[in-house]
Amino acid sequence: MEKGKYKEDREITCEVFEEVSNIKKILENNGFHYVEEFTLDDIYLSNCNTNQFAPKDGKITDTLIIRYVNENDKKIICKKRNYDESGFEISTTKAIVRIENIEDAERVLDMLGYVRYLRMIDKNYMYESDNHIAYIQEVEGLGTFLELEARNKETTTEHLVKYLQNFHLKTGSKFDTRKAEMLYKKIEKEEEKQ
């Protein structure tokens, strides 16, 4: 990764209470076409000495992730989220470094004080239209979600929310849903019961 090179995304994510086949059909009826299917295996890390990237009061905001997609796609991702005055996430700035080996990356980060606190696996179905990219995401142990990204940097999150609402899907009311945060809270609650 070149020094100072970062990518900023405009996206929304919401929980969807529909069958995946129905979501696919609705996307296709709205001008999207199927691109690919893949699974993300994410290891979330925080610094045990400084609490950098650690959940705070059950909330996960900025993240350091080791991601495995397939043998040719392994990387470390650092995400910093940007919020508006009301606390709604308006964009994410991220840096990505390609790696050769997941175990070696985790060992190096462990030596720097970063330890695993969450693993999230989600199956993705990617769809595209001229102006948007959509990911239907089935998260193990959590549910189904839809992430919608704008291709145009000028597109606002408000536009994305209104655009998605026109699909008339049964969704949750939050459009800046943090899947990892939901899974983390669910696991914490299950551990408290034991």
Side-chain angles (χ1 to χ4, degrees), residues 9 15 26 33 40 59 89 93 100 102 114 120 134 138 152 156 166-167 172 188:
D9 292 332
E15 193 166 9
I26 289 171
H33 65 276
L40 301 180
K59 293 195 177 292
E89 182 184 330
T93 305
E100 294 293 319
I102 296 292
Y114 291 92
M120 185 172 77
E138 294 179 288
N152 181 343
T156 64
N166 287 331
F167 296 171
E188 272 195 326

Side-chain angles (χ1 to χ4, degrees), residues 3-20:
K3 191 175 179 182
K5 282 256 182 181
Y6 299 100
K7 180 181 176 192
E8 188 168 317
D9 292 332
R10 296 268 187 254
E11 65 185 39
I12 58 171
T13 304
C14 64
E15 193 166 9
V16 182
F17 306 100
E18 307 243 5
E19 294 294 322
V20 169

Side-chain angles (χ1 to χ4, degrees), residues 87-138:
F88 187 86
E89 182 184 330
I90 55 172
S91 66
T92 303
T93 305
K94 63 182 166 183
I96 300 170
V97 177
R98 302 261 175 227
I99 58 174
E100 294 293 319
N101 183 289
I102 296 292
E103 293 78 20
D104 288 347
E106 192 168 9
R107 254 191 310 280
V108 168
L109 288 167
D110 182 63
M111 290 178 70
L112 296 170
Y114 291 92
V115 294
R116 177 193 299 215
Y117 70 88
L118 180 68
R119 182 175 182 201
M120 185 172 77
I121 300 172
D122 57 297
K123 186 175 187 177
N124 285 258
Y125 305 91
M126 181 181 179
Y127 282 77
E128 290 183 329
S129 70
D130 290 341
N131 299 315
H132 301 92
I133 302 169
Y135 298 92
I136 302 168
Q137 303 167 326
E138 294 179 288

